[in-house]
Amino acid sequence: MKLHDFFRSGTSHRLRIALNLKGIGYEQIAVDLRQEAHLRPEFKAINPQQLVPALDIGDAILTQTPAIIEWLEEQFPDPALLPPGRLDRAHVRALAAVVGCDIHPVNNRRILEALRHRFAADDAAINAWCGTWIAAGFDAYEALREAHGAGGRFSFGDAPTLADAYLVPQIESARRFKVDLGRWPMLARIETHCLELDAFEKAAPAAQPDAA
């Protein structure tokens, strides 16, 4: 498999975690968003949406991390990133969606670039914007995890799931936008347990070859 990604991209980060948790090897092909590489014709030919990541599986190119990770779960079911019970799977998917649907989309690069160039937002305004939606999402995540997380060390129980693959990159992003994470001790504990695993440590932005 060939993974077209960018070290600091939250969506790329979550896919790296999922691939690592499943023990799937992949070749990384850096798409440098800082150099607008995603806007070049050669990458548009790979992903018409011009977003990372894109996963080349040989006979197809997969885009959009929710779809890619669901495909991985079906194609490589062990170890599972979703619990066995239908209701439990719904709870885990809901936690992932708090990040993937409600926090990340309004804080991703193209939104922030529009705020900078069309509305003259400076760094302080960008951080305040991102912090607003991160805080609302993390408040909800902690409440949902408390209600439905089945205890344990991770977002759901004692094994990492889809939810953790979404959560950890969003915590990384929150630090970049100078969000005070002291407000969410439960999430901090979950992150600590995740980062004890090689799958998460090796997926971290700083560990990627294009991070230099």
Side-chain angles (χ1 to χ4, degrees):
M1 294 186 185
K2 295 181 180 179
L3 175 62
H4 300 263
D5 75 341
F6 178 60
F7 77 100
R8 204 164 54 204
S9 156
T11 50
S12 298
H13 188 178
R14 73 176 72 134
L15 180 53
R16 293 193 300 264
I17 291 170
L19 287 163
N20 293 348
L21 284 170
K22 288 187 173 291
I24 299 170
Y26 54 91
E27 175 189 350
Q28 281 181 270
I29 300 173
V31 182
D32 195 337
L33 304 190
R34 297 165 297 185
Q35 302 298 322
E36 307 288 351
H38 58 301
L39 302 180
R40 296 172 187 164
E42 54 267 36
F43 186 69
K44 188 175 183 180
I46 294 169
N47 181 5
Q49 201 177 10
Q50 297 177 281
L51 298 173
V52 291
L55 185 66
D56 185 341
I57 60 173
D59 57 352
I61 294 175
L62 305 180
T63 61
Q64 290 289 345
T65 52
I68 299 171
I69 294 174
E70 289 284 353
W71 179 84
L72 290 172
E73 188 73 353
E74 293 173 359
Q75 190 74 7
F76 306 95
D78 186 33
L81 299 183
L82 290 166
R86 290 182 180 176
L87 187 58
D88 291 341
R89 289 199 299 271
H91 290 322
V92 169
R93 285 187 171 110
L95 287 171
V98 169
V99 175
C101 298
D102 297 327
I103 301 177
H104 179 266
V106 293
N107 289 340
N108 71 13
R109 186 179 185 276
R110 60 181 178 173
I111 297 297
L112 303 187
E113 288 298 293
L115 290 173
R116 288 187 178 99
H117 298 300
R118 295 178 58 187
F119 302 100
D122 61 12
D123 286 348
I126 292 293
N127 290 345
W129 168 273
C130 293
T132 296
W133 310 115
I134 291 170
F138 281 1
D139 284 347
Y141 198 107
E142 277 214 341
L144 289 168
R145 197 272 183 184
E146 183 69 25
H148 306 302
R153 296 176 299 149
F154 296 94
S155 292
F156 189 92
D158 278 317
T161 65
L162 175 70
D164 301 298
Y166 276 70
L167 175 63
V168 168
Q170 191 58 64
I171 293 176
E172 173 83 15
S173 177
R175 290 195 179 95
R176 194 164 72 250
F177 295 119
K178 304 187 186 307
V179 176
D180 182 2
L181 294 168
R183 176 169 158 182
W184 303 284
M186 181 190 296
L187 301 191
R189 289 194 296 272
I190 293 170
E191 183 196 32
T192 296
H193 293 307
C194 287
L195 293 180
E196 292 171 350
L197 303 177
D198 284 346
F200 287 85
E201 183 178 359
K202 291 177 180 177
Q208 305 316 301
D210 58 326

